Amino acid sequence: MTIKFTRGRWTLAILCLAAVLLGAPLARADQGDPPEVEAQRLVHILGYIGADYGGSVANGVVTVPDEYTEQLSLAADGAKIAARIQPSIPAGREFDLAARIAKLRELLDRKAPPADVVALVAGLRAELVGAFQIEEAPRAAPNAARGKSLYQEHCATCHGETGRADTARAATFTPRPVNFHDPERGEAIAPYRVVSTVRFGVDGTAMVPFNFLSDADRWDLAFFVTGLRHAGVAPAPAGVAPAFTLAELSARTDADLREELRSAGVPADAEAAVLADLRLRAPYEDRAARSPLGLVRVKIERARQAIARGERDAARGHLIDAYLEGIEPIEAPVRAADASLAAALEARSMELRGQLERGASPAELGAAMDALLRDVGRAESLLSPASAPKSFASTALSSAGIILREGVEAALLIAALLGLAAQAGLADKRRFVHLGWITAIGLGILTWIASARLVAISGAQRELIEGVTALLATAVLFYVSYSLLAKREVARWMKFLKQQISPRRAALSLFGVSLLAAYREAFETVLFYQALLASNASASAALAGAVVGAVVLVVLVAAYTRAGRFAPPQVFFRISSYLLYALAVIFAGQGVAALQMAGKVPVHPLPFGSVPALGIFPTVETLGAQLVLLILAVVGILADRRHANATPKPPAPPAQIAPGPAA
C-alpha cells in the first residue's frame, strides 16, 4: 500500500532525521507530557494550520483536497490537546481554549477566508504563549559551526550538502525531502517552525520527534537550515539591514522579512543581499544592542513578552525605555532627514503607551508594536551608512529649517514683549527682553560644549529639561499675559503694564519669559545641529542655512515691533495679549507631552492626530492642561466685562456755551 503524503505536511520536515531512525517505530507524543509541552505542541499544530490553510482553500472552495483534509485532522488533534491542558491554564490568564479551537474548526468547516483563519490562529497562539510562558526564541545566539555540524551529520544524506534534496537517498522517498531552495517552501521557513518540527515531528509521516537533540542544538540547526537558500548570495555589509532582534529573526519567515525590508525602503535590487545578511550573519551577532534603533527593537520585544505574561507594568517600563533610550537619541538626525518620519515615531510611541494604559488586548498592542517597528525600519534605512550623502543645498535647507522651526515661537514671543513694553511707555525696560534671549543663546552654547565633551544627555534628561522648561515658561507667560487678556480698554492696559512691568517686576517678568522661551528652543536647536553635523554634512552649508534662518527670524521680530508703532493701540494690545496667551497654551501642551514621553505623566489617548507645533497632542492630559488655561481666559474676560458694566461711568462734563456777541 502506498501512502500519499501532502505537500503541506512536508513544508519544514527535516526528513534526513527520519532516514536515520527509519527502522524505529513512529514516535508520537506521550499524552502524559507536562501541560507546558502539550501547549507547545498545540502552538506547533496551530502554526501548520495558519501557514498551510491558505494553500488548500480559495474563495470558499477547496483547491487541494488532501491538504484540506490535513487541516481538519490537525484541528481534531488540537481539540484533544486543548481538552487536556484547559485545567492547567494559570489563574488570571484563563480563557476558553476548547471554545477557541471549536471556533477554528468552524472556520475550517465553512471554508472561511484564509485571513480569518490566520487572525484566529495568531490570537490563539499569543494566548498560549503568554499563559504557558512558551519561549519562541533561543536564550542565546546560535552557534553557526554547531548548526553546520548537526546538519552534515543528520541531514545532508537526504537534503544534500546545499539543501536541494538532490541526493540518492532523497530519491527513495515519496514525496521527496524538502528542497529548501524551492521558492514556495523556502519563503515559508522560519527558525521557530523548524525547531517545532524537529521537536514534535509531523503526525502520519516518517518525521518523528527527535528528543536526543537539546533545545540549543535545535536552534543551531534551525538557523543553519534557514540560511541554506541564501548561501550563494553575497551578504550586504552590516549596518545596511535593520537591526532585527534574535527573537524577530526566530519568528519571521523569509516572506515576512522581505515585506519589512520593503516597508523600510530597502531597494529591490539590494533585497536579496540584505536578506542573506539577516540569515547568514545577523543571528550570530548582537547587533540590536549596538545602535539606538536596534535597542528599540530589543525593548519592544521585551515589552511584547511582558504583555504575553500579563506583566503590563513591566511592559510600560520597556516601552518608555524604547523611546527614551532608542528613539529620542536619534530624533534629531531623523527629523533633519525626514521630519514626518520623526513625528510618526513619536506619535506611535505615545499611542502605544496610551493603548497599554487603557488596557488594550495583546493583539491590539501587537499590531501597534509592529507598526512602530515598521517605522523603526524606515529610520534605520534612512540613517544607514549606505544612504546617499546630503548635498550642499539640502544641508543648508535643513539647517535653515531647524532655525525657523525651533525659533519661530521664541521670536514671536520676544516681538510681542518688545512691542508691549514700547506701547506702555516702558521702552527703557526692553533691554530685559534682549538680555533674556542673549543669555539663552549663551546657555545654549554651554549646553553644546557640555553635551559634546563633558556629559551625554540621555533621552530622559532631554525630555525632562524640555518639559520643565516649557511648563516654567507657561507659568511666567500666564502671569504676564492673563491680566492683559482680561483688560479690554487701552487705558486700563496702560495702567496695568506700568504697575506690573515696572522696575523690579519688569526685570523678572520680561527677562524670565524671554530666557525660558528662548533657552527651550536653543536646547533643541543644539541637539539638532549636533546630529546634522555628525552625519558628515557640510559645516559651511549648515552655517549658511543657520544664517539665513536667523535673518528671517530677525526680520519677523522687526516687522512685528515696527507694526506696533503704526497700528492702533487697542488692536496691537489685543493681538499681542492673545499671542502671548496662545504661546502659554502651546508651551503647556508641549511641556506635558515631554513629561509623558519621559514616563512622568500617564497617557490617556484620544482618537485624533497631533499638531506638535501648536502643542496639540491627542491625550487627555495635554488637552486638559490647555483647556484649563482656555477656561481661565474666558473666566477672566467675562469677569472683567461684568466689573466694567457694574462700575458707574463718570458723568459727562457739562456742555460749554459759546458767549454771544456783545450788546
Side-chain angles (χ1 to χ4, degrees), residues 107-346:
L107 292 179
L108 299 181
D109 286 340
R110 63 182 176 87
K111 307 171 186 62
D116 294 348
V117 173
V118 169
L120 179 61
V121 164
L124 185 50
R125 289 181 79 253
E127 293 277 12
L128 286 166
V129 168
F132 290 95
Q133 306 293 290
I134 298 173
E135 295 183 353
E136 295 187 284
R139 297 184 179 182
N143 185 313
R146 176 62 175 165
K148 181 177 181 179
S149 174
L150 289 169
Y151 182 83
Q152 290 176 339
E153 181 180 356
H154 300 294
C155 309
T157 303
C158 296
H159 288 282
E161 291 290 335
T162 62
R164 297 183 182 277
D166 53 0
T167 67
R169 171 77 68 175
T172 66
F173 289 94
T174 303
R176 293 175 70 94
V178 172
N179 174 4
F180 297 119
H181 293 263
D182 178 81
E184 182 179 353
R185 302 293 182 86
E187 287 292 293
I189 290 178
Y192 177 71
R193 193 172 175 191
V194 175
V195 166
S196 296
T197 301
V198 173
R199 179 170 188 174
F200 298 112
V202 181
D203 288 344
T205 75
M207 183 61 208
V208 297
F210 293 97
N211 297 320
F212 63 88
L213 291 177
S214 66
D215 285 342
D217 283 345
R218 295 188 190 103
W219 282 112
D220 293 343
L221 180 58
F223 277 102
F224 182 81
V225 167
T226 53
L228 281 171
R229 66 193 303 254
H230 305 285
V233 179
V240 175
F244 290 101
T245 63
L246 186 57
E248 291 176 305
L249 293 174
S250 300
R252 283 161 171 71
T253 65
D254 280 9
D256 295 332
L257 290 175
R258 287 186 193 278
E259 183 178 350
E260 295 204 26
L261 293 178
R262 291 165 188 163
S263 177
V266 174
D269 58 356
E271 190 176 282
V274 173
L275 191 56
D277 175 56
L278 293 176
R279 287 306 191 201
L280 297 174
R281 296 190 307 202
Y284 310 102
E285 303 171 1
D286 187 14
R287 294 182 181 175
R290 300 179 188 175
S291 68
L293 287 173
L295 187 61
V296 174
R297 293 181 176 277
V298 172
K299 295 294 185 179
I300 288 180
E301 185 58 37
R302 291 178 182 175
R304 197 191 302 270
Q305 294 171 1
I307 290 168
R309 295 192 299 267
E311 300 170 358
R312 293 199 167 225
D313 286 342
R316 178 179 181 273
H318 291 313
L319 293 178
I320 291 174
D321 290 344
Y323 180 80
L324 295 178
E325 298 176 22
I327 294 176
E328 180 69 15
I330 54 83
E331 179 186 0
V334 172
R335 189 179 296 279
D338 187 341
S340 63
L341 178 56
L345 286 168
E346 183 172 334

